Amino acid sequence: AQSVTQLGSHVSVSEGALVLLRCNYSSSVPPYLFWYVQYPNQGLQLLLKYTSAATLVKGINGFEAEFKKSETSFHLTKPSAHMSDAAEYFCAVSYTGGFKTIFGAGTRLFVKA
Amino acid sequence: DAGVTQSPTHLIKTRGQHVTLRCSPISGHKSVSWYQQVLGQGPQFIFQYYEKEERGRGNFPDRFSARQFPNYSSELNVNALLLGDSALYLCASSLEAGPTNEKLFFGSGTQLSVL
């Protein structure tokens, strides 16, 4: 069965510091992987997605993620955090022939001034 | 262009009542999915509809039902409400069924509180 595990329900960084949000997946078939961001009182917005074209994926707002098959990971990074990055981040997986996207429990990112 | 719109934005019901939530997808999108997001958790898949047909169903009781109309809008119905049904209900649309590598476009959700 497919599943997603996000390590750390809360991550706190200082403004300008590296952001690293961890995601590991479990899938018996090649996965499609996504990172979504949710701001308070809003729906989810796609940051980036991996669809096997390239292992390093660049998304919006300076975020990127690297697919590592050997580690079954898809960690999200940003070199320099900004106050506006404070939000909830969800890693998600889907797969060919499936009809649903499976979300992790989310990681809330706090950015300190 | 308008994004995914959901109504109402907030709803308060009592146990045992019935509720109907509505969703209008982005123009041109034929697929609508419903997700339940309990506070502190990630969204959980409820249904996917494509071309008015149910394409997939998550692990939810039969009290949950949905339908899609010819204009691709959708309704989610929940009968015999329980306290545990309190959650943010998200609607997402996409161009085609799948989702495979399809990007989901989410509405802002309906916050349902069951007292």
Side-chain angles (χ1 to χ4, degrees), chain A residues 20-88:
Chain A
L20 171 60
L21 305 182
R22 300 178 185 274
C23 172
N24 289 88
Y25 69 91
S26 171
S27 177
S28 56
V29 297
Y32 299 109
L33 295 160
F34 307 81
W35 276 99
Y36 285 84
V37 61
Q38 185 176 34
Y39 297 101
N41 302 315
Q42 293 186 28
L44 281 70
Q45 177 186 1
L46 182 72
L47 277 177
L48 51 81
K49 66 178 183 180
Y50 165 76
T51 57
S52 76
T55 57
L56 184 62
V57 182
K58 295 187 182 298
I60 62 172
N61 302 338
F63 284 94
E64 62 182 37
E66 185 173 8
F67 172 68
K68 292 186 176 181
K69 184 178 180 180
S70 61
E71 299 177 7
T72 60
S73 68
F74 190 57
H75 301 331
L76 181 71
T77 60
K78 182 174 181 177
S80 177
H82 191 272
M83 296 296 288
S84 62
D85 294 327
E88 185 100 27

Side-chain angles (χ1 to χ4, degrees), chain B residues 33-105:
Chain B
S33 298
W34 287 94
Y35 287 81
Q36 181 196 64
Q37 187 178 16
V38 174
L39 189 64
Q41 297 182 21
Q44 298 293 314
F45 174 78
I46 309 175
F47 286 110
Q48 186 197 64
Y49 275 78
Y50 177 73
E51 292 283 12
K52 295 167 287 181
E53 291 188 2
E54 182 183 305
R55 289 300 184 93
R57 183 186 182 109
N59 188 25
F60 280 82
D62 291 343
R63 299 184 296 108
F64 288 77
S65 63
R67 55 180 176 169
Q68 187 176 32
F69 299 99
N71 66 353
Y72 302 113
S73 67
S74 177
E75 285 183 353
L76 175 69
N77 295 282
V78 186
N79 293 323
L81 285 167
L82 303 174
L83 296 179
D85 295 332
S86 296
L88 179 67
Y89 288 85
L90 294 166
C91 173
S93 75
S94 57
L95 280 169
E96 300 291 338
T100 61
N101 64 345
E102 278 288 323
K103 170 183 175 180
L104 295 175
F105 293 81

